[in-house]
Amino acid sequence: MTRTDWTRDEIAALFDLPFTELVFRAAEVHRAHHDAGAVQRSTLLSIKTGGCPEDCGYCSQSVSADSGVKATKLMDVRAVLQAAAQAKDAGSTRFCMGAAWRNPKERDMPAVIAMVEGVRAMGLETCMTLGMLEPQQAKRLADAGLDYYNHNIDTSPERYGDVITTRSFQERLDTLDAVRSAGINVCSGGIVGMGETREDRVSFVHALATLPEHPGSVPINALVPVKGTVLGDMLADTPMARIDDIEFVRTIAVARITMPESMVRLSAGRESMSEATQALCFLAGANSIFTGDKLLTAANAGDDKDDALFAKLGLRAMAAECRLSEAAE
Ligand code: SF4
C-alpha cells in the first residue's frame, strides 16, 4: 500500500544513506512500479508569458523581476493547437500549457477550456498551470477533460516565505485540494538549489509525500538562476549555494522511494546537467522529462540532444496510451 504517513525522520534517514545504497533502493522501487526502460517526454508551452503579479524569487516572469522578459497576451487557441501537433510529431505524449497568472480570470476560461479540449482530441495528455484555482474553475477544467494540473509547492513550508511573499503555502495546498476534489491528477513538486538546507529538502519531500494522495507527477527542478530575479542575483554572488549534482540525485531518489507510483519528472536545470548526472537521475527513478528548446522562458536541452541521450542510454519514450490508461485507473 502506498504510504502517506512518512515522518521527517524517516525521510532524513533516506537522504543520509550512503549514495550507492540510496540509488540502489530507489532503483528497486522504480522497477517494482514502473517500466524502467521508458521515460515520458512532455512538452511545455508558455501560453501567456510575463507580467505576473506574484513575486516568486526564482521567476523571470514576475513583474518584480528585472529580467527583460516581455509580457504577452494569452495565445490564440489555434496557435496553441499547432504547437501541440508539432510536439506530438516530435514524440511528446503530454502537452503542458503554462500561463503567468496569479489565477485565471473569468474572461480567460473559454479559451483555456478550448485549448484543453483541442489538445486532448489529438490523443495527447493535457496539463495546465495557471496559478491558483477556485473549486468551480477546477471543476470546469475537469469537465473539459484536463488530465493534470500543475501547482508546485515550490519549497519547504518553513522556507516558503523567504521565496514568495504574495501568497502562502496554505494557498498552494488549497488549490491542490480543489484540483484533487475535481478529479484532476495533481502535478506538484518544486525547486531545489535555492540556497535551502538539507533539512529544507527533507521537509519539501515530506510535504509532498504526506499529501492526502501523492501527486501523479512530481517535477523536481534545479534552480536555473536568471539575472534580474531575486534568487538569480543572490546565487550569482554565492555560487557555492547552487545544488550539488549528487545532492540533486539524492532528492530524486528520495522522491522515488517515498512516492513510488508517481511520475518523477526531471524538469528545469537539465540543460546544464551532464549526461552522467541525468543518467543517475534515471537510475534513481526519474521517468519523465520536458523536451524542446525552451522551458517557459529558460533554455532546455532540446530534442536532438535528448534523442542522442536516449539512444546512448537505451531508453524509450513512453507511449501516450499507456500513460492515459494509467491516469484513468
Ligand atoms: S512562478 Fe508562476 S506565479 Fe510565480 S511569478 Fe512566475 S509565473 Fe508568476
Side-chain angles (χ1 to χ4, degrees):
M1 208 187 80
T2 305
R3 288 183 55 194
T4 55
D5 62 351
W6 291 94
T7 65
R8 278 164 206 254
D9 285 349
E10 285 175 312
I11 294 175
L14 288 172
F15 265 101
D16 285 344
L17 283 171
F19 181 73
T20 49
E21 176 64 24
L22 172 61
V23 172
F24 179 74
R25 285 201 204 173
E28 277 187 327
V29 171
H30 191 196
R31 272 153 187 74
H33 294 271
H34 302 270
D35 172 356
V39 171
Q40 180 186 51
R41 292 173 70 151
S42 309
T43 299
L44 176 60
L45 175 72
S46 179
I47 58 172
K48 193 269 166 219
T49 305
C52 182
E54 302 281 43
D55 71 350
C56 310
Y58 50 82
C59 183
S60 61
Q61 302 197 66
S62 166
V63 285
S64 316
D66 183 17
S67 58
V69 170
K70 283 219 174 75
T72 66
K73 289 199 177 128
L74 179 63
M75 274 174 79
D76 176 69
V77 176
R78 260 182 316 177
V80 171
L81 298 187
Q82 258 174 16
Q86 279 169 8
K88 187 179 178 189
D89 288 347
S92 274
T93 56
R94 186 186 295 186
F95 192 67
C96 307
M97 295 161 267
W101 287 325
R102 176 172 165 81
N103 51 271
K105 306 257 180 335
E106 184 46 43
R107 63 169 184 264
D108 304 312
M109 289 302 285
V112 160
I113 284 168
M115 289 171 194
V116 174
E117 289 171 344
V119 173
R120 208 159 194 282
M122 294 176 193
L124 287 165
E125 279 186 321
T126 51
C127 179
M128 282 200 151
T129 180
L130 312 171
M132 292 188 278
L133 286 185
E134 295 296 330
Q136 190 48 30
Q137 292 176 314
K139 165 95 178 46
R140 286 165 71 190
L141 290 170
D143 290 346
L146 184 66
D147 295 297
Y148 279 86
Y149 193 78
N150 165 265
H151 200 62
N152 288 338
I153 62 165
D154 296 312
T155 185
S156 66
E158 296 77 18
R159 200 168 141 69
Y160 200 78
D162 296 335
V163 178
I164 299 140
T165 67
T166 49
R167 57 166 191 263
S168 66
F169 194 79
Q170 185 56 47
E171 285 178 299
R172 294 315 256 183
L173 298 183
D174 292 346
T175 290
L176 293 181
D177 267 350
V179 169
R180 198 168 34 242
S181 303
I184 302 171
N185 291 291
V186 168
C187 170
S188 188
I191 307 175
V192 293
M194 297 197 290
E196 77 281 344
T197 59
R198 162 73 71 82
E199 215 182 323
D200 285 315
R201 286 187 283 279
V202 168
S203 179
F204 159 63
V205 174
H206 177 260
L208 291 168
T210 56
L211 285 169
E213 279 172 34
H214 292 163
S217 268
V218 179
I220 306 282
N221 299 277
L223 180 74
V224 178
V226 178
K227 216 168 161 277
T229 61
V230 174
L231 284 164
D233 289 348
M234 186 180 97
L235 294 179
D237 298 336
T238 52
M240 292 308 288
R242 287 185 67 171
I243 188 95
D244 169 73
D245 284 349
I246 296 294
E247 184 68 11
F248 185 79
V249 177
R250 279 186 188 274
T251 310
I252 295 275
V254 175
R256 166 49 68 226
I257 293 170
T258 52
M259 294 172 276
E261 285 165 14
S262 305
M263 303 293 288
V264 175
R265 181 180 300 156
L266 200 48
S267 302
R270 207 163 59 82
E271 192 253 348
S272 57
M273 256 174 227
S274 69
E275 289 186 339
T277 301
Q278 293 185 59
L280 275 175
C281 289
F282 294 133
L283 182 64
N287 59 350
S288 177
I289 58 167
F290 276 121
T291 57
D293 298 330
K294 282 249 169 209
L295 263 185
L296 296 177
T297 58
N300 194 32
D303 287 327
D304 291 348
K305 266 195 186 168
D306 287 332
D307 287 345
L309 181 63
F310 271 46
K312 208 184 261 193
L313 300 179
L315 289 172
R316 285 174 283 110
M318 200 173 281
E321 294 72 23
C322 139
R323 291 306 315 154
L324 280 171
S325 63
E326 278 178 35
E329 276 168 9

